[in-house]
Amino acid sequence: MSKQPTRTIKVDTLTRVEGEGALYVKLKGDQVQDVKLKIYEPPRFFEAFLRGRHFSEVPDIVARICGICPIAYQMSAVHAIERALGVGIEPSVRLLRRLFYCGEWIESHALHVYMLHAPDFLGYPDAIAMARDHQAIVQQGLRLKKAGNRIVALMGGREIHPISTAVGGFYKAPSKSALKDLVEELKWALDASLATARWVSGLDFPDFEQDYEFVSLRHPGEYPFNEGRIVSNRGLDTDASEYEENFTEQHVQHSNALHSVLRGRDSYMVGPMARFNLNFDKLPDVAQQAARDCGLQVPCRNPFRSIVVRAIELVFACHEALRVIREYEPPPAPRAPALAQASTGQAATEAPRGLLYHRYVLDQSGLIVSAKIVPPTSQNQKRIEEDLWHFVSQVATRPAEEITWKCEQAVRNYDPCISCATHFLRLHLERD
Amino acid sequence: MSSKVRRKPRIAVFKFASCDGCQLSLLDAEDELLGIAGALDIAYFPEASRSMGTGPYEIGLVEGSITTHHDAERIQEVRRQCKTLITIGACATAGGIQALRNWKDVDEFIRIVYATPKFINTLKLSTPVAEHVPVDFELRGCPINKHQLIEVITATLAGRKPNAPTYSVCMECKRKGTVCIAVAQGVACLGPVTQAGCGALCPSFDRGCYACFGPMESPNTGSLSNQLRILGQNNAEITRAFRSFNAWAWQFRKASEESERT
């Protein structure tokens, strides 16, 4: 038998993801020899320079890890610090934080569904090219994204790095009437999200399923944002304070990156698909019905269908935002007092891309002694590579350009945020 | 001789060490994005498109600071490819929050964050783009204001100077009718030394300005430091206040080093 030719698929710059990464796939005949998701985004050392900062500065600093999901960083930080200092928050502050998160999910999911992921399914390089043939759809996506941004800007002053989050609550709580101004647009956004779900459920999905361990928060009464236990479909059920006993980072030779794994088990998936599969029963009826109408079943194991799951979470987030605005009464004080003491606190919240873990150790004057941050993309990285190992062999007979695009699409299934991941990922600069 | 069909000016967006927030501002211009795409050929914008057109470009927007040897070389090539080079945001104009390493031993930072330090390739300093190549316009902010971004692009295409004021946040508070929280409530506020551009957000949310837009044109940081002491801040707190997203901007650098020495 003749020697099988070796082919390499290289994507030097992964596009339509946040941050800088590259992809390298080596094939021998139709056999996958190697898959590397390379991260060349420069490290920024957040955990290091947080040391010595006062706890009250942390929400503003960690927001700068990610311009796409600053609220997620602020939420994990304030909840961890509040747990360290024993600060209890007002019920209406709790509601406001859910609303804030709804805004970020809507903005981030609409961005990903319409501008980053859909162009793959329809064969366009980007949403702007897509708009030439599908103008109404792209305009719907932009308006939906803006509806989420309006919540964030109203509550936080601006869309990116909002300024209102404080340990104990907010610097200023919005009035009831200010929130009411959002209602009409959010009603439109709820309908638009349902339309989004119908639209994306009709896209063509590769026939590809994996047996994932899904990990997300689970709360007894609601679809999770800021509270709940960390659970999986294989029996994990733990508190954030035990996160580091359950999860660990592994050095994988081929990737030069630390991969987060479950101790004694293996890779896992966080994000919309994990949340959806583990918390379907907590979705409101309108979102459950939309999922059924889209043909989504629990568990959904096809990562390409994550675009549909994001659309269902858009339905949820718009519905939840409207519920919060209906129930909201301004708190007596926008934030609870937080007194410095030597302490340690951990928290995990649900960023748009999945579980985001923070731990802070504080000294008696409230300065940070040490910080640990584990972003969702770091946790998904090993799983992304495993998807590629299996997926590439399915498409290995196709032309190189098609394999390349399909691989990029498979990476974008995870909406990876490399900017977030990098301050933690091991980095080895290796470029031609 | 001019061709009948005018070619659209080509714009490129480059990323260095950053959070992606400033380039996201372009996508956050939801109402204007398709209009911008009609007026300009967005030739290179990897966060938004997989088609990556090669240079040269009329306008290059640069986000992020220079923190690796490779990036120090790459910015030279970016400069060669762009007729007008505009830096966007605190990372590109002042080194960003990651410039906090500039006062520390970067090797210690690496050891804190990474298990195997030898794999990390980084420079000792995080520096703004203008320390490496000539920059035609620096747009401030952490993050930038998307309306200012659109103004800068529009002005560049029209060949005029962008309207981006260099006066302080105090001017914006006055114009908004926000009562001065430093005077009325005794809240520490960096507004008097910080460049306008955000719309004086923080004072309207009952908190002091924390200087996202960097130093104003001629900041009196010494006087503000004294005022902060009168409001009860100690030197460590004042040092930290000047050391955030624009810490390496020379006026803030000087102010933080003065309060650190005091």
Side-chain angles (χ1 to χ4, degrees), chain A residues 72-73 76 101 215-218 224-225 228-231 236 238 240 243 247 268-272 274-275 347-358 374-380:
Chain A
Y73 282 88
S76 285
Y101 237 144
V215 172
S216 83
L217 290 182
R218 181 165 169 84
F225 277 122
R229 291 181 66 80
I230 300 170
V231 303
L236 178 75
T238 187
Y243 178 92
F247 297 84
Y268 58 100
M269 180 199 276
V270 299
R275 286 192 293 259
T349 73
E350 287 289 347
R353 287 157 196 77
L355 197 74
L356 170 58
Y357 170 77
H358 286 212
V374 187
T377 295
S378 311
Q379 302 181 72
N380 277 336

Side-chain angles (χ1 to χ4, degrees), chain A residues 126 145-146 425 427 431, chain B residues 28 31 49 70 114 119 240:
Chain A
D126 52 58
K145 181 173 167 309
K146 191 178 175 184
L425 289 171
L427 177 141
R431 269 173 145 186
Chain B
D28 271 356
D31 296 334
S49 178
H70 179 266
Y114 295 90
F119 283 111
R240 289 206 306 273

Side-chain angles (χ1 to χ4, degrees), chain A residues 213-328:
Chain A
E213 179 153 11
F214 299 109
V215 172
S216 83
L217 290 182
R218 181 165 169 84
H219 185 277
E222 59 200 16
Y223 203 73
F225 277 122
N226 290 311
E227 291 169 24
R229 291 181 66 80
I230 300 170
V231 303
S232 85
N233 53 328
R234 293 191 192 147
L236 178 75
D237 183 353
T238 187
D239 183 76
S241 59
E242 290 152 356
Y243 178 92
E244 290 169 60
E245 288 153 39
N246 287 284
F247 297 84
T248 186
E249 290 105 38
Q250 259 183 4
H251 183 203
V252 183
Q253 190 64 41
H254 71 256
S255 131
N256 294 320
L258 288 179
H259 285 180
S260 198
V261 293
L262 268 157
R263 275 187 209 274
R265 300 224 274 282
D266 200 7
S267 69
Y268 58 100
M269 180 199 276
V270 299
M273 259 177 53
R275 286 192 293 259
F276 174 83
N277 285 326
L278 294 167
N279 297 284
F280 179 79
D281 59 329
K282 302 299 175 196
L283 284 169
D285 291 343
V286 61
Q288 288 193 3
Q289 190 55 49
R292 283 186 210 104
D293 293 346
C294 289
L296 276 184
Q297 285 175 338
V298 177
C300 170
R301 294 200 184 92
N302 182 342
F304 292 90
R305 286 189 186 273
S306 63
I307 191 170
V308 188
V309 175
R310 276 187 197 89
I312 299 301
E313 286 200 334
L314 278 168
V315 173
F316 156 72
C318 293
H319 181 271
E320 178 70 1
L322 286 164
R323 179 189 75 86
V324 169
I325 293 171
R326 264 196 317 274
E327 293 181 10
Y328 175 68

Side-chain angles (χ1 to χ4, degrees), chain B residues 156-230:
Chain B
T156 304
L157 292 176
R160 65 173 168 81
K161 190 170 174 280
N163 176 19
T166 54
Y167 50 66
S168 75
V169 170
C170 294
M171 297 286 280
E172 291 187 317
C173 263
K174 300 291 171 286
R175 199 173 295 145
K176 247 176 132 171
T178 305
V179 174
C180 178
I181 56 160
V183 172
Q185 296 178 45
V187 172
C189 180
L190 296 183
V193 297
T194 302
Q195 182 169 305
C198 66
L201 291 176
C202 287
S204 66
F205 275 74
D206 290 339
R207 65 175 297 195
C209 164
Y210 60 98
C212 301
F213 279 63
M216 63 160 317
E217 199 168 7
S218 49
N220 191 342
T221 51
S223 173
L224 184 77
S225 296
N226 287 336
Q227 190 58 35
L228 293 176
R229 278 184 203 100
I230 292 167

Side-chain angles (χ1 to χ4, degrees), chain A residues 15-16 19 41 43 53 57 60 64 67 125-126 145-146 149 163 405 408 419 422-423 425-427 431, chain B residues 15 19-21 27-28 30-31 46-50 70 98 113-114 116 119 142 204 207 212 240 243:
Chain A
T15 56
R16 298 209 316 272
E41 173 98 13
R53 305 299 293 215
E57 302 165 37
D60 295 327
R64 270 68 181 185
D126 52 58
K145 181 173 167 309
K146 191 178 175 184
N149 267 337
I163 53 107
W405 195 333
E408 290 178 44
S419 305
T422 302
H423 71 285
L425 289 171
R426 181 189 312 274
L427 177 141
R431 269 173 145 186
Chain B
K15 179 187 155 63
C19 78
D20 278 53
L27 300 178
D28 271 356
E30 291 101 352
D31 296 334
E47 184 170 284
S49 178
R50 76 187 294 272
H70 179 266
Q98 56 273 17
V113 181
Y114 295 90
T116 308
F119 283 111
C142 183
S204 66
R207 65 175 297 195
C212 301
R240 289 206 306 273
R243 275 190 198 158

Side-chain angles (χ1 to χ4, degrees), chain A residues 2-3 18 63 98 127 168 170 204 206 224 256 263 271 306 377 430:
Chain A
S2 67
K3 198 166 169 275
E18 293 89 8
R98 285 184 73 78
F170 290 92
D204 277 335
N256 294 320
R263 275 187 209 274
S306 63
T377 295
E430 189 188 325

